[in-house]
Amino acid sequence: MRRTLTLLALFVVCLAIDPRTEAQQPVVYEQPHARVFTLINWHRSQRGLRPLRYDTNLAAWAARNNSGQLYYRRSGHHVNPNCWQVAFYGPQTADLAVNGWLASPSHFQAIMRPDVTVIGVAVNSVAWTANLR
């Protein structure tokens, strides 16, 4: 119950008008991993794709195996199409991480796959990892 309430609290978001596109985009009132989740679902919805569900197991896997290694290796973009993983070392905010992934064709393709239904996100300082299934 406590975990459910914590997750619900993380996904509270307020909407604002983006002056560049006049489209509604989420405003930052979230933890970084929840912000990534919100932004990715927003971008998917703009392309007619269904929203992803958050999977705490995928998030734990991302935290254990990916963000930690990414942080210590200090590598940049990374995509693994077999397990639909995107990672990025360097961005200071969730918005910059998601924008970086969307600007990369291979990351964009992984995030916008119609067959993907769940996501788990981990953040380790400036190492961002999203596992998708």
Side-chain angles (χ1 to χ4, degrees):
M1 180 69 168
R2 183 176 167 199
R3 180 178 231 172
T4 302
L5 291 175
T6 301
L7 286 174
L8 288 173
L10 292 175
F11 299 120
V12 173
V13 66
C14 188
L15 296 179
I17 301 298
D18 181 340
R20 294 169 293 156
T21 62
E22 294 187 11
Q24 290 187 0
Q25 284 192 351
V27 175
V28 180
Y29 288 110
E30 304 163 286
Q31 295 296 322
H33 62 283
R35 177 73 177 156
V36 169
F37 174 74
T38 300
L39 286 170
I40 286 177
N41 273 334
W42 185 84
H43 284 284
R44 286 176 59 89
S45 74
Q46 297 302 298
R47 289 159 181 80
L49 297 170
R50 63 189 158 168
L52 303 176
R53 289 179 293 108
Y54 197 84
D55 185 319
T56 56
N57 291 326
L58 285 179
W61 175 50
R64 242 185 350 266
N65 299 321
N66 304 316
S67 283
Q69 292 175 20
L70 187 65
Y71 179 78
Y72 291 110
R73 284 185 306 198
R74 301 217 190 297
S75 56
H77 274 75
H78 165 97
V79 79
N80 184 345
N82 295 329
C83 65
W84 304 303
Q85 176 191 90
V86 293
F88 196 171
Y89 178 83
Q92 300 292 317
T93 68
D95 293 67
L96 292 173
V98 170
N99 287 339
W101 286 331
L102 296 177
S104 164
S106 58
H107 291 83
F108 180 89
Q109 185 178 20
I111 291 168
M112 297 300 166
R113 290 179 63 103
D115 60 329
V116 167
T117 60
V118 293
I119 186 172
V121 179
V123 180
N124 182 348
S125 184
V126 292
W128 304 79
T129 305
N131 288 332
L132 304 117
R133 185 175 307 167

